[in-house]
Amino acid sequence: SLLKTEALITDLETAEMIKYASNSFLATEISFINMISRLCEKVGADVEMVSKGMKLDKRIGGKAFLSAGLGCGGSCFPKDVSALISIFNDNDVKCDILDVAEKINKEQRYFFIEKIKNVLGDLKDKKISIFGLSFKPETDDIRESPALDIAQVLIDAGSVVMGYDPVARDNVARVMPEIVFVDSIDDACRESDAVIIATEWDVFKNYDWSR
């Protein structure tokens, strides 16, 4: 049977603004929960439980983009936030909230690198595996992938970066040939000083990490 949905008829300017505003709002949610995650680490709270509790509030809802991580990537969110900021600036309307959301999103992956440094110290000659190289699971799309930003910083610091992704390997190899690709999660773990799970593929969620 055909699904019923609501159609909204608008002028072109409004339709464009709906698209930019929606994606920017979702990206802002991601930046918000990532800042909450930083605070949770300081005060000893569990950000996953905070997120779960927030989603129980019906004004927020279970589908809210409140999963802390490395920040958003892909072809839509970063681009649309940047575009909406430009529209604000072009029309002399100040919008600090989007400026901050964009800044937090860019910083988040580097904040994570600092966590690695706190454990490993000097990153030179360290072997670090990154599991998941696409910007989100179920795709080979690597545009604006936080994993690749992290990989580049590690490579520039002198680390040997090994990569594993269910489908994005060929796309990554074309743009970052410095990454050493592995075929086995077990082998990568055995050879690594650290492992970064950068994308929530089911293969990583369901893997027996006690091994």
Side-chain angles (χ1 to χ4, degrees):
S1 62
L2 294 176
L3 295 175
K4 293 182 179 180
T5 189
E6 183 176 350
L8 184 65
I9 308 300
T10 75
D11 54 44
L12 288 175
E13 291 79 8
T14 304
E16 181 180 35
M17 191 55 61
I18 289 171
K19 195 256 191 183
Y20 283 143
S22 296
N23 281 344
S24 296
F25 182 81
L26 295 173
T28 301
E29 286 187 317
I30 295 171
S31 290
F32 177 81
I33 197 62
N34 278 331
M35 283 307 302
I36 293 296
S37 75
R38 299 185 197 180
L39 183 59
C40 284
E41 290 191 11
K42 296 291 187 180
V43 302
D46 183 340
V47 70
E48 291 190 9
M49 294 303 293
V50 171
S51 174
K52 185 175 181 179
M54 290 175 67
K55 290 179 181 180
L56 292 176
D57 187 325
K58 289 181 170 55
R59 297 167 300 175
I60 297 173
K63 294 184 178 181
F65 276 43
L66 292 174
S67 295
L70 300 177
C72 60
S75 61
C76 291
F77 285 8
K79 173 179 63 64
D80 285 358
V81 171
S82 180
L84 188 54
I85 289 172
S86 294
I87 293 171
F88 272 106
N89 292 337
D90 290 344
N91 290 276
D92 296 320
V93 179
K94 192 170 179 60
C95 186
D96 291 340
I97 191 170
L98 283 184
D99 292 332
V100 173
E102 184 178 55
K103 180 174 181 288
I104 292 169
N105 192 61
K106 290 179 179 178
E107 287 178 347
Q108 186 66 11
R109 54 213 68 183
Y110 304 109
F111 173 79
F112 190 76
I113 290 171
E114 290 303 312
K115 291 165 65 71
I116 299 171
K117 288 181 179 178
N118 289 339
V119 175
L120 297 184
D122 187 2
L123 297 176
K124 184 175 175 57
D125 297 325
K126 295 293 192 302
K127 289 186 175 181
I128 301 176
S129 288
I130 302 180
F131 292 162
L133 299 167
S134 56
F135 85 92
K136 67 177 183 179
E138 314 305 327
T139 181
D140 64 354
D141 193 339
I142 60 172
R143 288 175 290 183
E144 299 288 338
S145 170
L148 298 191
D149 286 343
I150 288 175
Q152 189 61 62
V153 172
L154 294 175
I155 290 168
D156 291 344
S159 299
V160 176
V161 175
M162 297 179 286
Y164 179 88
D165 189 281
V167 298
R169 174 173 178 161
D170 291 344
N171 288 345
V172 175
R174 281 191 287 270
V175 298
M176 295 192 73
E178 307 95 328
I179 293 179
V180 179
F181 290 97
V182 295
D183 297 314
S184 164
I185 295 177
D186 283 355
D187 290 343
C189 288
R190 275 193 292 268
E191 296 176 13
S192 297
D193 296 297
V195 170
I196 301 167
I197 304 173
T199 312
E200 295 178 310
W201 283 95
D202 284 342
V203 65
F204 306 137
K205 287 182 179 180
N206 299 328
Y207 187 75
D208 179 10
W209 291 104
S210 66
R211 292 165 58 87

